[in-house]
Amino acid sequence: MSLQAMDWALRKVRGLSPTQKLILICLACFGDREGHCFISQTQISEHTNLTRETVNRNLLFLEAKELIATNRQKDDSGREISKRYRINIGSDSSNGGATQTGTVHRGCHE
């Protein structure tokens, strides 16, 4: 877990529904310092108690707002086998996208 990612998701991203915010926080919990998230849609669904359909729909919304990026992993035949997510820490798309400006906090508990 990256404290920077958690801080960004919790404090700086505004204008999301509670479901979208929950999914973004879940991604941040499983993210590294570069924002790469090592979690599947099924795991997001299990951790958030949301249906996989709800997770998928809201991941698409977060991607459209450029809060996350999706990298589709394919096998040798070109068939999609998984997706990797990267949260765009510091994205200007927060207020429904844009991030809050002002004091920079160094951790989740400050």
Side-chain angles (χ1 to χ4, degrees):
M1 170 180 66
S2 164
L3 288 179
Q4 180 185 9
M6 286 298 296
D7 183 60
W8 174 76
L10 285 167
R11 295 179 185 227
K12 295 183 175 67
V13 177
R14 301 283 187 245
L16 299 179
S17 73
T19 299
Q20 294 156 355
K21 185 81 158 186
L22 179 61
I23 292 170
L24 188 63
I25 291 167
C26 187
L27 287 169
C29 281
F30 288 87
D32 64 14
R33 289 179 185 234
E34 289 77 40
H36 297 99
C37 306
F38 301 94
I39 187 168
S40 69
Q41 293 172 359
T42 299
Q43 290 170 315
I44 295 169
S45 177
E46 290 168 357
H47 287 295
T48 60
N49 291 324
L50 298 169
T51 66
R52 189 165 169 174
E53 178 183 338
T54 298
V55 169
N56 289 337
R57 183 175 58 252
N58 286 281
L59 285 169
L60 289 171
F61 175 87
L62 294 172
E63 186 174 18
K65 292 294 183 181
E66 298 181 354
L67 294 169
I68 66 170
T70 303
N71 182 4
R72 288 154 177 83
Q73 307 291 311
K74 298 184 179 185
D75 64 14
D76 292 336
S77 68
R79 185 179 63 107
E80 187 175 302
I81 55 173
S82 67
K83 292 180 183 174
R84 287 271 174 94
Y85 301 99
R86 185 176 59 77
I87 54 176
N88 295 325
I89 300 169
S91 168
D92 289 337
S93 321
S94 328
N95 215 354
T99 55
Q100 174 185 1
T101 57
T103 306
V104 175
H105 299 279
R106 298 205 183 274
C108 290
H109 302 290
E110 292 183 355

